[in-house]
Each structure stands twice: as C-alpha cells, then as structure tokens.
Amino acid sequence: MHNFEFAHDLDIPVHPISALDFMPRAELAAMQLHRLKATVRLCYERVPLTRRRMDERGVKPEHIKTLADIRLLPFMKKTDLRDEYPLGLNAADMSEVVRFHCSSGTTGKPIVITNTANDIEVWRNGAMRALAMFGLRAHDVMQVSYGYGLFTSGLGAHYAGEGLGCAVLPTSGGNTERQLMLMRDLGVTAIACTPSYFLHLIDEGLKAGMDFRRDTKLKHGIFGAEPWTQEMREKIEDLTGIEAHDIYGLTEISGPGVAGDCQYRCVLHVFEDHFYPEIIDPETLEPLPDGEEGELVFTTLDRTGTPMLRYRTRDISRIVPDVCKCGRTMRRIARVSARSDDMLIIRGVNVFPSQIESGLLTVDKVLPHYQIVVDKAGDLDTLEVKVEVSEKTLSDDVKSLEALRKRIGAAIQHIININARITLAEPNTLPRSEGKINRVMDLRKKRAAK
Ligand code: DLL
C-alpha cells in the first residue's frame, strides 16, 4: 500500500497494521495538514471556547495553510476541560457520541471526553499499532490488568489485543492471587498493567513460590499510565525474563496508544497520522527545536468528539531527531519519565521522583519498592528515601548495612546533588498499588495547611 522510504532491519515480520508507521514523510505531512485543517474548522465551528480564543488572536481556520501554522493556534489545558465541565469542549452531536471517558485530577471535578465511533477507531488503531510494534501477534494470550471503567487503560489495551486477534483475559485490577493463577493456567504471554502493579504481582508471585521464567509463558509487559525509568525496566526484565514495553497515552488525546517504543527502546514513536506532537517551553510557550526538553503538546488530527488543539500535557519529553533504525518514519519522543506536576523543590533544587528512582535502582540488593518522604526540620527541607531490601540483606551485620545505605545515598546524590537519609525497609512494608502509584509523601504541604 505504501512505499517504504527506509530499509528496515526488523527481526520480526512487519504486521500489516504497521504499514502506516512506515509512510514516506511527504505523504504523512500532506495527510497531517489535510486533517489539521479539518480539525481546526471543526473546533472553530463547534467549540465556543476555541472560537473565542482564535477570534481574539485574529486567527481563522483558513489561515492554517501549512503545518507550521499550527503555531497560530491557542493552547488548551486541563483547566479548560474542568472549567468547561461537563461538555463545553464537545464538538459532536450526542447522536454521534458512543462513549464517555473521564480522567480524574487531584482536585475537584473530573474531565469528560466524548468519543464518537470514529474516535474509538482512531484510538484502537494507535493501540493496535503499539502492540504490533511490541511484537504481539494473534497467537498471544494477553491479560489486561489495567482497570476497566471510566479510565481509558483497560478498554484501550483490550481493543488493541482483540484487534490483533490475541486471546484477551480481562482481569482488570485487583485480586492478585487470582491474577497469578490465571496467568499461569491460561498460558498468558503478555500482561498489560502499570509497571507498579506488575511489581506487586512479581512480589506476590515470589511469595507464593512462583518463578516467572519457569512457571509462566510470559514474554511481554505492556506498561504505561505512570512514569517509570529505564532502570525500573531493567529491574523488571531481570526479575522475570520478559520484555518490558513502554506504551504512552492520555485520556484527553485518546488513551493508551498515542506512542510506544520499538525494539530499539528508550524512545517512543508517536502515531503522528493521528496525534501531532510539539515540545514547548512551558514558561514562554514557544516551540522548542528538536532535541530540547520541554512540555509535550499534542493536537489530535482526526478526532471528532472532543478534538484537541495544542493540548498541554504537562509531561516532560523531547523530540528525538533522526530516523530510527527500525525504519518507522513516525517521529520519536523521549520516554516520559516525569510530569511537571510531580516536581519537588527540595532546598531550592528541582527534583523529580524518577531521578531518585534512577539512582537507587542502580544499587544491587535494592528491591524496586521505595517511598520518598519530604519534610522540614526547622527551616531546612529534609529528604528521606525508604527502600525495601530482602530479609537476607537485612540480616547482614550493622557495618554492611551502613555501607549499603551509604551506597544508595551516594547513587541518589550523584543525580540530584542532595543528601538523602536512607532507610532500609523490610520487604512488603511500603505501599503497593493496583493502578497508578504515588511514591511521594510531601509532609511540608500538611504542615503548611495546619
Ligand atoms: O494513563 C492512558 C494510558 C493507560 C496510557 C495505559 C498507557 C497505558 P490518563 O489516566 O489520562 O491516561 O493519564 C495520562 O499518565 O499524561 C502521563 O503523565 C502518564 N502516562 C501515561 N503513559 C505513560 C508512560 C492514561 N508510558 C498521564 N510513561 C499522562 C510515563 C505515562 N507516563
């Protein structure tokens, strides 16, 4: 169907659904521009907030003549969705809407996204292409342990698996014992869940005497919905022998399947025929050149329920220049290891939880369960990192434990330049999660609220 612009050296045959991933750039750009124009027209005609903002800037749909003209358009933010709750940004007639999805924020009302049948297809297409890129095929048995419901995770993974012809096991989250039993008994080869829930499954499996390599057929993990580091990926792969793939997405733009990594890892291909990425400086709102880190912004190119123009995700990434060795022509973004919302300011230094994770997971003997506690002693911020180690490690002599604490502290300090107090915790004592995990306790906020 498409000419392949670049030779590719995939070790697995390309799935037919992936053909679009290899579109020649010129063809892709023409498709993007055509779709962008239609989306801008739709928003201008149907979404009063967008129309007002475009009018204020003197921008009309006909001013969008090239892809670069996207810069003329106003941004959208999560607060717009909240302020326009429930349906102010909906562009479709209710007769065309087939599903609502919601994403909760930390405060107040959820945001509501309407999906037309077309939007579900767009979403399914991105999610299927992600799984195909990971190497899943019809013979795979996929357990979906993401939650089903208002969140997009469960259903997104579900469609993608079924679409590829996999046998899907919709366990949703929770009931870990049953999850493990079914995983083993049904010969599950792929699991889709948050990386933090998979850690919990590994733990519970080990406790029950289960060896993932020996007792399961698990080959693929389809992990996303929360930031996780390369070090965490290595830890998971080491513990279980699976390939841990990274799938990215967000409710406002569609769901899981906006981007994913190919076999060359570390960076994610964006399904650019549907979702147009930009990186901006969050202060000046100016687009940044390829390679520079900033806030990830997406424009949906062919959604019709709640189309989004230049949606500010608050996720931090960068566009990775150059062509990928896999031959896909879709541009790449660096893995999203942090959200600007998660940034902690400790003694004046900006710190992301993922930086602490990267540091501590380089130390052997450390288990991938930790908690970050930020507090104040007088006027000074304090940072404590609690990390689990095995009972065997804890039974080491005092000197060895002190040396281990020092090594962990040094690994963290090397990255964030802050001295943290390290507490070694017993196995299974730090919080676990069935969905997105929060590993940070910022007690300064509680003190300030008192
Ligand atoms: O979490 C959609 C999703 C489900 C993606 C399952 C992947 C797998 P929301 O609940 O709207 O949607 O949350 C979106 O989660 O802005 C990121 O901050 C974060 N996130 C999602 N995927 C990744 C990832 C789903 N692979 C928010 N790496 C996004 C890092 C991710 N962060």
Side-chain angles (χ1 to χ4, degrees):
M1 174 170 63
H2 292 286
N3 300 321
F4 282 33
E5 199 172 359
F6 301 102
H8 57 81
D9 55 357
L10 297 174
D11 52 0
I12 37 171
V14 174
H15 190 284
I17 187 88
S18 301
L20 286 167
D21 301 1
F22 298 87
M23 265 174 110
R25 287 296 306 180
E27 203 177 304
L28 174 64
M31 180 192 261
Q32 287 175 318
L33 181 59
H34 179 75
R35 290 181 171 180
L36 175 66
K37 286 178 176 176
T39 303
V40 173
R41 220 174 299 121
L42 178 70
C43 291
Y44 190 77
E45 284 165 10
R46 297 280 188 98
V47 183
L49 178 73
T50 306
R51 185 189 190 105
R52 203 167 62 237
R53 287 187 179 161
M54 284 176 62
D55 283 346
E56 278 163 15
R57 297 170 161 230
V59 180
K60 299 273 177 248
E62 52 275 21
H63 293 156
I64 306 298
K65 296 201 177 75
T66 67
L67 281 173
D69 292 334
I70 201 166
R71 297 176 182 199
L72 302 173
L73 298 169
F75 289 101
M76 297 176 96
K77 292 202 291 191
K78 197 163 208 154
T79 45
D80 295 329
L81 280 151
R82 288 225 178 88
D83 296 345
E84 298 291 314
Y85 176 87
L87 292 174
L89 299 186
N90 171 46
D93 289 332
M94 224 17 91
S95 61
E96 295 164 334
V97 173
V98 297
R99 174 113 52 80
F100 298 108
H101 273 287
C102 295
S103 155
S104 63
T106 37
T107 52
K109 293 188 174 125
I111 57 151
V112 179
I113 300 290
T114 51
N115 288 270
T116 61
N118 163 76
D119 298 340
I120 301 286
E121 263 320 297
V122 169
W123 175 16
R124 208 167 81 104
N125 182 266
M128 277 171 68
R129 279 158 65 187
L131 295 199
M133 184 160 64
F134 301 155
L136 267 79
R137 295 294 182 266
H139 56 73
D140 279 298
V141 180
M142 182 165 99
Q143 179 165 349
V144 180
S145 311
Y146 282 120
Y148 284 66
L150 285 175
F151 286 123
T152 52
S153 320
L155 283 167
H158 187 109
Y159 293 137
E162 271 192 10
L164 285 185
C166 304
V168 175
L169 176 65
T171 45
S172 196
N175 202 340
T176 302
E177 215 174 292
R178 193 180 56 184
Q179 300 256 7
L180 289 168
M181 183 183 79
L182 291 173
M183 178 190 290
R184 204 180 38 218
D185 295 348
L186 294 179
V188 167
T189 57
I191 181 154
C193 61
T194 56
S196 55
Y197 185 53
F198 190 60
L199 288 175
H200 184 43
L201 283 169
I202 297 176
D203 254 11
E204 294 299 306
L206 289 176
K207 260 200 266 169
M210 187 167 153
D211 174 336
F212 277 72
R213 285 185 175 82
R214 185 193 61 207
D215 302 325
T216 76
K217 295 201 170 127
L218 208 55
K219 234 179 109 188
H220 303 279
I222 294 129
F223 300 133
E226 63 187 14
W228 57 303
T229 58
Q230 191 63 21
E231 289 76 14
M232 183 65 89
R233 161 184 265 166
E234 283 161 20
K235 204 89 181 176
I236 287 174
E237 292 186 341
D238 256 17
L239 284 166
T240 57
I242 69 166
E243 273 179 44
H245 309 284
D246 192 359
I247 186 165
Y248 169 84
L250 60 165
T251 315
E252 298 89 315
I253 297 302
S254 121
V258 170
D261 59 359
C262 64
Q263 78 274 34
Y264 291 107
R265 331 285 293 267
C266 301
V267 288
L268 313 177
H269 289 278
V270 176
F271 298 109
E272 268 193 279
D273 44 324
H274 300 307
F275 316 110
Y276 188 87
E278 294 174 89
I279 298 288
I280 61 158
D281 177 327
E283 302 296 323
T284 64
L285 304 187
E286 286 302 318
L288 292 172
D290 286 2
E292 276 188 38
E293 194 173 83
E295 181 177 348
L296 187 54
V297 168
F298 279 108
T299 297
T300 59
L301 293 175
D302 51 358
R303 280 176 65 92
T304 49
T306 311
M308 285 288 166
L309 299 182
R310 307 191 85 194
Y311 182 72
R312 295 183 56 185
T313 62
R314 305 187 67 81
D315 290 331
I316 297 168
S317 185
R318 65 194 154 84
I319 289 182
V320 177
D322 305 332
V323 172
C324 184
K325 280 189 283 182
C326 79
R328 285 186 172 76
T329 53
M330 303 278 137
R331 274 184 297 171
R332 297 173 298 163
I333 53 171
R335 291 181 65 200
V336 174
S337 58
R339 292 175 58 77
S340 50
D341 298 343
D342 298 339
M343 191 178 81
L344 297 160
I345 303 181
I346 304 173
R347 296 177 216 155
V349 180
N350 297 349
V351 175
F352 287 102
S354 53
Q355 293 177 297
I356 295 177
E357 178 177 304
S358 288
L360 72 92
L361 290 186
T362 57
V363 180
D364 58 342
K365 294 197 173 166
V366 158
L367 299 176
H369 299 285
Y370 66 96
Q371 190 177 38
I372 298 168
V373 184
V374 190
D375 202 351
K376 258 191 184 313
D379 283 339
L380 195 67
D381 294 327
T382 59
L383 171 64
E384 179 185 7
V385 180
K386 299 182 184 175
V387 56
E388 286 184 11
V389 290
S390 69
E391 270 165 26
K392 185 166 168 294
T393 302
L394 278 177
S395 67
D396 282 353
D397 57 67
V398 177
K399 229 166 132 197
S400 314
L401 291 179
E402 191 44 38
L404 176 59
R405 254 194 299 269
K406 275 209 174 115
R407 274 199 293 140
I408 300 170
I412 294 173
Q413 186 163 28
H414 180 67
I415 297 182
I416 62 171
N417 210 10
I418 290 180
N419 190 5
R421 182 150 65 92
I422 308 298
T423 305
L424 301 178
E426 285 184 16
N428 299 302
T429 52
L430 298 177
R432 303 295 198 258
S433 155
E434 287 179 0
K436 297 179 193 255
I437 195 164
N438 178 13
R439 296 188 175 98
V440 179
M441 261 170 59
D442 192 343
L443 301 174
R444 295 172 304 180
K445 287 184 188 152
K446 280 195 188 140
R447 287 184 197 284
K450 272 186 193 161

